[in-house]
């Protein structure tokens, strides 16, 4: 079956510390992968998407970066966190099989920068 | 860039009432999606629409892909307390190097028992 794993579920980090959030998918190959951020009570903001290994597109300039070292692994990173990086981070994937697609989100990571 | 206008922003309804929300865009999409998000969870896909004019149901939910490909609506019939949450529309143009979902800002639904 097709599943998406995202961890950790919650994270509290001090300002200036590094960040690494990981997302992995199972049961599919060559998916499009996405990182979204959601501020409290707000909509979803696309941060990065990847259509393949090593291919990263950034939607907004920010303190974050993304990498895709393997087909089913998508990593969100920061060298030095800012208070404004706090939020709910969601990973998602879409398959590329003709007209059918799986649009699935992970369970999210709640990041609090203190 | 592409934007989706979702309305209403919030709704307070009585249990048993029907609900309607919609999304419009200045751009064409070839796929429309509707998600529901419970607090502290990731969005869960409710309905996916792939063809202009398509009308699709999922239990008490009905969604339509507008004929112009620039809009979609979601209806919930006979609402119940567990329908509470935030509903998002999303548009997608799938193909080539593209594939990013564009989300509306969400409709927060509250249901009074």
């Amino acid at each position: 079956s097709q599943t998406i794993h995202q961890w950790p579920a919650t994270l509290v980090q001090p300002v200036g510390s590094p960040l690494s959030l990981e997302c992995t998918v199972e049961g599919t190959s060559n998916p499009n992968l996405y990182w979204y951020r959601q501020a409290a009570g707000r909509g979803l903001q696309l941060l990065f998407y990847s259509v393949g290994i090593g291919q990263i597109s950034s939607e907004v300039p920010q303190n974050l970066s993304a990498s895709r070292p393997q087909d089913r692994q998508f990593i969100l990173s920061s060298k030095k966190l800012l208070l404004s990086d706090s939020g709910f981070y969601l990973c998602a994937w879409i398959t590329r099989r003709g007209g059918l697609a799986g649009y699935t989100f992970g369970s999210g990571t709640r990041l609090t920068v203190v | 860039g592409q934007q989706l206008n979702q309305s209403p922003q919030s709704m307070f309804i009585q249990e048993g009432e029907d609900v309607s929300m919609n999304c419009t865009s200045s751009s064409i999409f070839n796929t429309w999606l509707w998600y529901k998000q419970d607090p502290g969870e990731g969005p869960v896909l409710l309905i996916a629409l792939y063809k202009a004019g398509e009308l699709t149901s999922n239990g008490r939910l009905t969604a339509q892909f507008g004929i112009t490909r620039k809009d979609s609506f979601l209806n919930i019939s006979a609402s119940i307390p567990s329908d509470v949450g935030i509903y998002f529309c999303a548009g997608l143009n799938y193909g080539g190097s593209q594939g990013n979902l564009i989300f509306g800002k969400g409709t927060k639904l509250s249901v009074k028992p």
Side-chain angles (χ1 to χ4, degrees):
Chain A
S1 63
Q2 296 164 332
T3 57
I4 182 169
H5 300 283
Q6 194 177 337
W7 66 92
T10 59
L11 193 59
V12 180
Q13 291 282 100
V15 169
S17 64
L19 173 74
S20 181
L21 301 181
E22 188 164 345
C23 174
T24 59
V25 297
E26 294 179 3
T28 185
S29 60
N30 201 25
N32 284 7
L33 295 172
Y34 306 83
W35 278 111
Y36 286 87
R37 178 169 58 200
Q38 186 176 35
R42 303 286 297 276
L44 293 131
Q45 179 189 35
L46 178 63
L47 301 176
F48 300 95
Y49 71 93
S50 171
V51 298
I53 295 174
Q55 300 179 62
I56 307 295
S57 296
S58 175
E59 287 296 300
V60 293
Q62 59 213 314
N63 185 43
L64 303 169
S65 62
S67 62
R68 186 167 177 177
Q70 300 179 43
D71 181 46
R72 302 174 194 176
Q73 185 184 30
F74 203 22
I75 298 173
L76 183 69
S77 304
S78 174
K79 292 181 180 178
K80 288 185 179 181
L81 284 168
L82 305 172
L83 285 174
S84 58
D85 291 325
S86 293
F88 191 45
Y89 288 83
L90 290 155
C91 178
W93 65 274
I94 296 180
T95 59
R96 264 190 248 152
R97 286 202 300 270
L100 295 178
Y103 311 92
T104 305
F105 281 86
S107 53
T109 295
R110 174 77 58 193
L111 172 66
T112 304
V113 183
V114 296
Chain B
Q2 294 175 312
Q3 291 185 332
L4 294 185
N5 297 309
Q6 185 172 351
S7 64
Q9 284 188 329
S10 61
M11 302 181 73
F12 296 86
I13 63 169
Q14 204 73 35
E15 182 178 357
E17 289 183 351
D18 296 343
V19 173
S20 184
M21 58 192 79
N22 68 83
C23 271
T24 60
S25 170
S26 58
S27 306
I28 289 173
F29 291 103
N30 58 36
T31 300
W32 281 91
L33 308 166
W34 285 93
Y35 287 87
K36 182 191 176 198
Q37 185 178 27
D38 292 325
E41 300 288 333
V44 175
L45 181 66
L46 298 174
I47 292 180
L49 302 158
Y50 302 106
K51 296 180 182 178
E54 179 181 356
L55 183 71
T56 297
S57 292
N58 179 7
R60 293 178 296 107
L61 278 61
T62 302
Q64 185 158 29
F65 192 149
I67 196 72
T68 65
R69 296 168 61 192
K70 293 183 178 181
D71 62 299
S72 177
F73 72 74
L74 174 70
N75 288 341
I76 305 173
S77 63
S79 58
I80 59 178
S82 62
D83 290 333
V84 166
I86 302 178
Y87 291 80
F88 291 99
C89 63
L92 173 70
N93 284 320
Y94 198 76
S97 62
Q98 288 269 328
N100 44 317
L101 292 172
I102 307 297
F103 279 86
K105 294 188 185 298
T107 295
K108 186 175 182 180
L109 178 63
S110 302
V111 179
K112 292 180 276 187

